[in-house]
């Protein structure tokens, strides 16, 4: 085994937990710390990628292009990456990010929709950027299917394709089979992005590396959507113990997690009951805070919303479906709860016995 | 029988074929005189022949050869329409453009159809635009709208290769339509493809940030009226609930945001009912064609079916 390239996405996936309120100063400090610890790639974007600033996902406190530029100026060795989700971001924002000095673009689609990314890979290559394809919600399709989608991204110009466990729903065997399928089918690199909703982010990252993953993602100290991602400082420590540390400074990353990121986090993402439900039901990790907000307004348990969203096969970016489900569930509960004066429903009769 | 105008459909793919069925089911003042494609073996042309509609697989030339054809629905591609637009114009034919080419002004039937009846070419924006612009307009006609954001979620199966290869154009064009026709100061559009089985109905969410304090009852009444207007040509157009008023933080401070959850069930003329995104395009095209036909025939103010 050899050490994978580690991309830190505190400043992108962590943006969800921060409700997209990272400031220039925070970006400056975090990039400085990661760069000093020899992290080779740092992703900086709104949590939902370029142009994600919206009512649907939450508005950015500081325009992302300013944060990207700040990161670029601060990094001496690390490359700066951005996320682009076709359907949300467009080639227009990609051009602007490239003008601000971005070197890597990670282009993400739902794991069945790789063919909407062709024009974006095309432009990225024209601009001379390194390209990574992201197959999101990859737990929803089997390994062979994902390999076909990954091959499409490779044909469009991806230098690496990731299996993305957006829901934190995979078990180590799920990861191993998917990474292996891509390794067998592609001639470019393969990556893996974990979420910790079932407490398996580090375990799954190790399973991916054992299966041949060339790139993995982390966040200091796991600051990301849902229960967060694999903590970058933990990835470094574990790779070091495995004897495959790709050059990361373990102590500096621990310090960065503890003294730079932890003090500004609104909370430490952990697999609490709502986050576990996300992994269990297989829904997009970023639904966490939105589901809590809407559940509170409608007097519902967020877990009811999340399980129903999983049943309806919601995909990445469908935060507006949370409101749909809340409206439907609230209406259904009224139907059961209201007719007390008339004929009691079965549920009322049972509960009164 | 009502007087009729000869029309042609250019493009024998899914959209052109669905439009053919819509016109045949409810012709109004339209007489479908030609279905033109470029593939002699296409299913659309075969279906047209079986129904006794004259066909051609020679592209636009058969359309240009018949001087009696006054209205042409172009359901080909943006690139093809860029080529077709000047030819149709020179031939004195009105073009109703279902592609994103946008050679002529944008049209959404219940918003501005009457204003462009003397134009040689009108454009139907995008499916997301046809779906959501009426709701944005319904609000902006009672209170100014600072910002309009729409999220269109369509079944993967209903998104053809044209949409997939040009997804950015959906975003740009729809956002421009929210501003130009919807009346929003600033527009933003997001599109999501969902592969769930069975396929989901087309879903749109419209979020609006009004510019000033507003009367919620007036908004609800205007939206209800607009939904009824759209339902006259798209029967499967419905809001899942009355508008939701939710306090959110926005770049303009903490504001009451209006959220509307819209679902569209297609009529199932040719395309399956889940493809409400395609149905609203063909329904709008037929509606626009009908009004142009009435205008050409000198019929005024007739109730549009």
């Amino acid at each position: 085994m050899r050490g994978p390239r580690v991309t830190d996405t505190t400043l992108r996936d962590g943006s969800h937990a921060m409700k997209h309120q990272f400031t220039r100063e925070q970006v400056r400090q975090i990039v400085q710390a990661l760069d000093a610890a020899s992290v080779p790639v740092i992703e900086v974007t709104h949590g939902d990628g370029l142009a994600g600033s919206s009512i649907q996902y939450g508005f950015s406190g500081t325009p992302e292009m300013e944060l990207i530029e700040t990161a670029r100026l601060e990094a001496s060795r690390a490359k700066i990456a951005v996320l682009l989700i076709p359907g949300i971001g467009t080639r227009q924002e990609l051009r602007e990010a490239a003008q601000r000095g971005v070197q890597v673009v990670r282009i993400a689609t739902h794991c069945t929709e790789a063919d909407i990314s062709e024009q974006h890979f095309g432009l990225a290559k024209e601009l001379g950027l390194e390209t990574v394809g992201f197959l999101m919600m990859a737990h929803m399709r089997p390994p062979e299917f994902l390999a076909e989608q990954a091959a499409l991204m490779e044909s469009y110009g991806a230098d690496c394709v990731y299996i993305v466990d957006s829901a934190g729903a995979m078990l180590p065997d799920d990861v191993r089979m998917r990474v292996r399928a891509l390794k067998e089918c592609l001639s470019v690199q393969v990556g893996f992005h974990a979420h910790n909703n079932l407490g398996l982010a580090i375990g799954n990252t190790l399973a991916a590396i054992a299966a041949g993953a060339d790139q993995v993602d982390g966040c200091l100290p796991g600051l990301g959507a849902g229960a967060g991602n694999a903590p970058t400082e933990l990835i470094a420590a574990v790779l070091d113990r495995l004897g495959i540390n790709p050059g990361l400074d373990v102590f500096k990353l621990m310090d960065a997690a503890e003294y730079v990121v932890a003090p500004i986090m609104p909370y430490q993402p952990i697999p609490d009951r709502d986050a576990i439900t996300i992994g269990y039901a297989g829904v997009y990790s970023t639904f966490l805070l939105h589901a809590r907000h809407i559940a509170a307004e409608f007097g519902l348990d967020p877990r009811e919303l999340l399980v129903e969203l999983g049943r309806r096969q919601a995909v990445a970016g469908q935060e507006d479906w949370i409101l749909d489900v809340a409206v439907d569930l609230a209406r259904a509960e009224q139907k059961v709860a209201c007719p007390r004066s008339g004929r009691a429903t079965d549920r009322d009769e049972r509960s009164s016995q | 029988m009502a007087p009729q105008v000869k029309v042609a459909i250019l493009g024998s793919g899914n959209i052109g074929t669905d439009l053919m069925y819509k016109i045949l089911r409810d012709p109004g003042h339209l007489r479908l005189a030609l279905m033109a494609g470029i593939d002699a073996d296409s299913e659309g042309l075969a279906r047209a022949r079986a129904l006794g509609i004259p066909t051609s697989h020679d592209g636009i030339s058969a359309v240009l050869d018949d001087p009696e054809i006054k209205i042409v629905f172009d359901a080909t591609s943006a690139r093809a329409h860029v080529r077709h637009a000047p030819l149709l114009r020179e031939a004195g034919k009105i073009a109703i453009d279902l592609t994103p080419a946008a050679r002529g002004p944008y049209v959404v039937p219940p918003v501005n159809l009457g204003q462009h009846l003397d134009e040689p070419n009108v454009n139907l924006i995008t499916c997301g635009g046809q779906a959501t612009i009426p709701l944005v307009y319904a609000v902006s006609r009672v209170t100014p709208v600072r910002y309009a954001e729409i999220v269109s979620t369509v079944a993967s199966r209903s998104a053809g290769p044209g949409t997939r290869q040009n997804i950015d154009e959906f975003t740009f064009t729809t956002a421009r339509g929210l501003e130009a026709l919807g009346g929003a100061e600033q527009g933003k559009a997001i599109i999501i493809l969902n592969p769930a089985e069975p396929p989901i109905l087309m879903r749109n969410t419209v979020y609006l940030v009004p510019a000033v304090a507003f009367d919620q009852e007036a908004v609800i009444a205007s939206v209800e009226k607009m939904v009824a207007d759209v339902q006259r040509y798209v029967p499967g157009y419905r809001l899942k609930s009355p508008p939701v008023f939710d306090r959110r933080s926005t770049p303009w401070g903490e504001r009451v945001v209006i959220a509307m959850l819209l679902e569209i069930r297609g009529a199932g003329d040719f395309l399956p009912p889940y493809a409400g995104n395609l149905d609203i395009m063909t329904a709008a095209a037929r509606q626009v064609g009908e009004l142009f036909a009435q205008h050409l025939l000198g019929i005024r103010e007739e109730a549009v079916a």
Side-chain angles (χ1 to χ4, degrees), chain B residues 83-296:
Chain B
R83 196 175 68 244
H84 296 158
L87 298 174
L88 293 170
R89 187 187 189 126
E90 280 162 29
K93 300 180 194 304
I94 293 162
I96 298 173
D97 173 20
L98 287 83
T99 80
R103 297 289 108 174
Y106 291 160
V107 164
V108 173
V111 174
N112 71 334
L113 181 49
Q115 294 165 22
H116 295 297
L117 290 174
D118 294 315
E119 291 284 341
N121 187 315
V122 292
N123 175 265
L124 295 181
I125 317 176
T126 61
C127 59
Q130 286 296 330
T132 60
I133 289 168
L135 297 177
V136 178
Y137 179 76
V139 175
S140 74
R141 70 185 171 188
V142 296
T143 189
V145 173
R146 174 66 188 81
Y147 175 80
E149 176 180 312
I150 70 103
V151 184
S152 286
T153 306
V154 305
S156 291
R157 282 167 179 253
S158 71
T163 304
R164 291 172 175 278
Q165 285 158 21
N166 300 287
I167 200 152
D168 282 2
E169 280 65 23
F170 173 95
T171 315
F172 299 142
T173 307
T174 308
R176 273 199 300 271
L178 296 172
E179 296 164 3
L181 290 195
E185 201 175 314
Q186 187 185 343
K188 180 177 180 68
I190 293 169
I191 181 168
I192 295 168
L193 307 183
N194 180 308
E197 289 292 341
I200 59 159
L201 295 178
M202 186 206 198
R203 267 279 291 111
N204 301 275
T205 299
V206 178
Y207 299 107
L208 301 173
V209 180
V212 292
F214 64 98
D215 176 353
Q216 296 190 358
E217 294 308 316
V219 164
I220 291 170
S222 178
V223 167
E224 271 176 11
K225 183 174 180 313
M226 180 58 81
V227 170
D229 285 347
V230 179
Q231 280 172 345
R232 285 162 60 195
Y233 64 100
V234 187
Y237 187 93
R238 93 185 168 94
L239 285 188
K240 292 198 71 181
S241 74
V244 175
F245 300 95
D246 189 17
R247 203 162 254 291
R248 304 243 183 146
S249 59
T250 73
W252 309 278
E254 179 116 327
R255 291 294 186 92
V256 174
V257 169
I258 305 170
M260 291 178 274
L261 313 179
L262 169 68
E263 193 168 78
I264 303 177
R265 175 183 294 278
D269 290 308
F270 169 62
L271 299 162
Y274 63 77
N277 46 318
L278 306 181
D279 184 75
I280 196 168
M281 285 299 272
T282 56
R286 189 210 154 270
Q287 181 79 342
V288 172
E290 171 64 20
L291 214 69
F292 268 108
Q294 291 181 19
H295 185 67
L296 290 177

Side-chain angles (χ1 to χ4, degrees), chain A residues 203-224:
Chain A
N204 283 346
T205 300
L206 284 178
I209 294 166
D214 307 284
Q215 302 190 22
V216 298
D217 285 5
C219 289
L220 294 171
L223 181 68

Side-chain angles (χ1 to χ4, degrees), chain A residues 217-241:
Chain A
D217 285 5
C219 289
L220 294 171
L223 181 68
N229 303 82
T232 306
E233 71 281 13
L234 259 176
I235 294 177
V238 169
L239 292 180
D240 203 57
R241 288 303 305 259

Side-chain angles (χ1 to χ4, degrees), chain B residues 52-70:
Chain B
I53 308 292
T55 63
S56 161
H57 60 270
D58 202 16
I60 194 171
S61 56
V63 176
L64 297 173
D65 286 347
D66 184 346
E68 285 185 20
I69 291 174
K70 297 296 180 197

